[in-house]
């Protein structure tokens, strides 16, 4: 499909061949390209809050990847010719969700920054494809038009989807659970008893709030709901409050009459391997309803950025890490200066020393917790301490904090489970 009414001149054969070669390289998805395009997402200060939603962030990253592949494939087959519009299912879902939130302008901002990033990457490649100034000028002219027209065509489709979603919202005046709950979370004055009846859930009780989500493509909502009910049963809640908050996100409130059993919680995690959850602390009444939910959202935002976060994370697990990661550069420097060579050594050594500190430097307890022979543990601890640039005995608190940061930022192995 030609996305512009203007004539599209055919490039010279030499430039068509250069376009094909460049597209072939782009099709291999160089890691630096993907990283640069992902960094361009929501880069303006007013859009940063969307970086806290891992579902939207994951969908946009997949969309970046698929759109790059589409453009590259088109230019391999028909180099220098107009590229047809391509809007992935991820972008359709994201556009509709942002329209419902009144944040559709964010997508327009993202398109502009993504286009700039794509052009920057392609231009660097173009200078490596030819040193002929005449060919280079034509190549850059053709490339610039191709990229801008492709993205503009995609955004025209997205704009139409947004307008249709806004129209649907305007013409459907029904009040659902999500809108009722949003009123509560916004701090508006409400009749608690009446609202409890409408929601079928007591707002006066003590609550656990959860955010349950999936970052996989085309995630179905039913498994999210099933996990929500399984989590609610852990605290004996037969009638939890479940709200569908997005295309792959569920909010859950359940009674906190009894504490969460963490061994049973791990069992729920294993039943739903592709789903993640964040849990706020138990709190009572309407203020507790809000506070626990806010804690769950903050936990979700944090674990979405930390590669080592377990599938289900409680707020009490991340309070310190949350404070320590507000300045990413300072956090990284703290880890490097405190742990030295241990920061880049085997995770087995890191986990051994971390567990030793967590168990009060008790060898027997640590060996039991890790399921490791005592002598093996002693060798690992000795090796780990040898790698430290500072004296272990004098800096245990700093070392423990640095290890905590490091472990949360290190991707989990497939065998790792809830801590």
């Amino acid at each position: 499909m030609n996305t512009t009414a203007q004539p599209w001149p055919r490039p010279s054969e030499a430039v068509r061949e250069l376009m094909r070669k460049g597209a072939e390289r782009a099709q291999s998805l160089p890691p630096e390209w993907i990283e640069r395009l992902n960094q361009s997402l929501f880069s303006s200060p007013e859009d940063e809050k969307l970086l806290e939603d891992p579902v939207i962030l994951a969908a946009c990253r997949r969309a970046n990847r698929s759109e790059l592949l589409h453009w590259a494939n088109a230019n391999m087959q028909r180099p220098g010719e107009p590229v047809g519009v391509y809007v992935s299912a991820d972008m359709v879902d994201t556009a509709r969700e942002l329209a419902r939130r009144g944040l559709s302008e964010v997508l327009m901002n993202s398109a502009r920054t993504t286009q700039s990033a794509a052009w920057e990457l392609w231009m660097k490649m173009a200078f490596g494809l030819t040193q002929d100034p005449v060919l280079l000028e034509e190549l850059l002219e053709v490339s610039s038009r191709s990229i801008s027209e492709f993205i503009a065509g995609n955004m025209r489709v997205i704009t139409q989807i947004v307008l249709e979603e806004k129209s649907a919202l305007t013409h459907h005046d029904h009040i659902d659970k999500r809108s009722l709950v949003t009123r509560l979370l916004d701090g508006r004055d409400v009749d608690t008893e009446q609202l409890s009846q409408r929601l079928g859930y007591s707002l006066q009780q003590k609550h656990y709030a959860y955010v349950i989500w999936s970052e996989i493509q085309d995630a179905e909502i039913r498994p999210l709901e099933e996990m929500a009910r399984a989590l609610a049963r852990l605290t004996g809640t037969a009638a939890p409050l479940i709200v569908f908050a997005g295309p792959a996100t569920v909010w859950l409130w359940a009674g906190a009459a009894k504490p969460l059993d963490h061994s049973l919680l791990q069992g729920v995690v294993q039943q739903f391997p592709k789903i993640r959850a964040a849990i706020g602390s138990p709190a009572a009444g309407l203020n507790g309803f809000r506070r626990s939910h806010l804690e769950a959202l903050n936990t979700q935002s944090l674990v979405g950025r930390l590669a080592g976060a377990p599938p289900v994370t409680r707020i009490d697990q991340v309070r310190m890490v949350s404070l320590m990661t507000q300045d990413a550069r300072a956090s990284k420097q703290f880890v490097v200066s405190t742990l030295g060579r241990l920061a880049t050594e085997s995770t087995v050594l890191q986990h051994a020393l971390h567990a030793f500190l967590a168990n009060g430097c008790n060898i027997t307890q640590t060996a039991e917790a890790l399921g490791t022979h005592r002598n093996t543990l002693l060798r690992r601890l000795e090796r780990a301490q040898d790698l430290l640039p500072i004296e272990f005995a004098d800096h245990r608190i700093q070392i423990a904090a640095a290890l905590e940061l490091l472990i949360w930022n290190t991707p989990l192995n497939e065998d790792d489970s809830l801590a």
Side-chain angles (χ1 to χ4, degrees):
M1 179 194 305
N2 193 332
T3 59
T4 177
Q6 298 297 321
W8 191 288
R10 181 182 175 88
S12 66
E13 289 304 315
V15 165
R16 283 171 58 86
E17 179 60 20
L18 291 174
M19 286 287 293
R20 188 195 63 75
K21 287 181 178 178
E24 185 175 10
R25 294 184 190 177
Q27 190 191 42
S28 67
L29 297 175
E32 63 273 16
W33 281 52
I34 298 299
E35 179 63 23
R36 179 67 185 88
L37 291 175
N38 286 342
Q39 287 176 353
S40 72
L41 291 170
F42 314 133
S43 57
S44 63
E46 60 270 23
D47 301 338
E48 282 186 355
K49 56 188 173 182
L50 287 179
L51 292 173
E52 300 174 0
D53 189 324
V55 175
I56 289 181
L57 188 57
C60 287
R61 284 172 171 167
R62 288 195 300 269
N64 263 352
R65 182 186 179 91
S66 60
E67 288 181 9
L68 172 59
L69 277 174
H70 179 85
W71 185 86
N73 288 336
N75 275 285
M76 282 189 64
Q77 297 171 25
R78 298 177 301 280
E81 296 181 22
V83 177
V85 167
Y86 175 77
V87 177
S88 67
D90 280 314
M91 280 312 299
V92 172
D93 288 343
T94 300
R96 287 174 174 163
E97 177 61 19
L98 293 180
R100 287 192 287 268
R101 298 187 190 184
L103 296 171
S104 51
E105 182 61 28
V106 169
L107 277 182
M108 310 306 164
N109 295 339
S110 178
R112 286 190 286 269
T113 55
T114 299
Q115 180 174 332
S116 296
W119 173 240
E120 171 191 317
L121 292 165
W122 180 265
M123 187 165 54
K124 288 180 180 178
M125 179 183 289
F127 278 93
L129 290 172
T130 180
Q131 299 298 314
D132 185 316
V134 176
L135 286 180
L136 183 59
E137 181 180 4
E138 184 186 357
L139 174 62
L140 292 176
E141 182 180 345
V142 172
S143 304
S144 176
R145 182 170 188 174
S146 178
I147 292 171
S148 62
E149 289 290 344
F150 173 60
I151 294 177
N154 291 348
M155 292 315 298
R156 283 193 287 271
V157 174
I158 290 294
T159 299
Q160 185 60 38
I161 292 170
V162 167
L163 291 174
E164 291 172 358
E165 189 65 29
K166 287 182 176 179
S167 177
L169 290 171
T170 301
H171 291 90
H172 290 81
D173 198 29
H174 66 282
I175 299 178
D176 58 8
K177 281 185 178 179
R178 177 173 173 175
S179 62
L180 290 173
V181 166
T182 300
R183 289 174 59 193
L184 282 173
L185 298 174
D186 286 346
R188 303 179 204 175
D189 292 333
V190 295
D191 184 324
T192 303
E193 185 175 347
Q194 182 184 55
L195 203 52
S196 294
Q197 292 176 354
R198 295 184 67 179
L199 292 171
Y201 177 84
S202 173
L203 296 171
Q204 298 291 2
Q205 65 181 312
K206 193 174 184 180
H207 322 270
Y208 275 110
Y210 306 73
V211 177
I212 303 163
W213 76 99
S214 176
E215 297 172 20
I216 65 172
Q217 189 170 8
D218 301 325
E220 296 183 2
I221 203 69
R222 177 176 287 183
L224 298 177
E225 184 180 9
E226 290 175 353
M227 183 174 185
R229 296 193 182 282
L231 289 170
R233 286 193 292 270
L234 294 181
T235 52
T237 306
L241 174 58
I242 299 174
V243 176
F244 300 111
T249 304
V250 164
W251 293 342
L252 165 69
W253 285 264
K258 64 178 184 179
L260 277 170
D261 184 312
H262 299 309
S263 62
L264 295 177
L265 183 58
Q266 185 171 358
V268 172
V269 172
Q270 293 170 350
Q271 293 176 45
F272 301 93
K274 301 297 183 181
I275 302 177
R276 309 189 71 179
I279 310 174
S281 58
L286 186 54
N287 286 336
F289 181 93
R290 293 168 176 150
R291 190 181 75 194
S292 187
H293 177 69
L294 181 59
E295 289 178 344
L297 286 176
N298 289 338
T299 303
Q300 181 200 31
S301 171
L302 180 65
V303 302
R305 302 193 304 269
L306 298 178
V312 175
T313 309
R314 307 180 305 276
I315 181 66
D316 58 284
Q317 292 176 280
V318 296
R319 289 188 195 276
M320 183 179 72
V321 175
S322 177
L323 290 171
M324 295 177 69
T325 54
Q326 290 182 15
D327 186 331
R329 182 177 296 178
S331 298
K332 184 176 181 180
Q333 182 57 43
F334 172 68
V335 169
V336 171
S337 62
T338 304
L339 300 182
R341 288 184 294 156
L342 181 58
T344 56
E345 273 290 335
S346 165
T347 57
V348 172
L349 298 180
Q350 297 163 5
H351 281 269
L353 189 55
H354 181 264
F356 181 59
L357 289 162
N359 284 277
C361 297
N362 185 300
I363 289 290
T364 302
Q365 289 182 14
T366 305
E368 291 177 356
L370 293 175
T372 304
H373 191 278
R374 179 186 177 93
N375 291 340
T376 301
L377 176 61
L378 287 169
R379 286 196 298 272
R380 289 174 180 172
L381 292 175
E382 183 179 0
R383 172 60 178 158
Q385 292 181 41
D386 285 344
L387 294 170
L388 294 172
I390 56 180
E391 286 295 326
F392 175 76
D394 298 332
H395 300 87
R396 293 182 185 181
I397 294 176
Q398 296 95 316
I399 292 168
L403 283 168
E404 189 81 6
L405 273 174
L406 180 64
I407 288 170
W408 277 93
N409 278 287
T410 303
L412 291 170
N413 295 321
E414 292 183 359
D415 295 333
D416 289 341
S417 58
L418 182 63

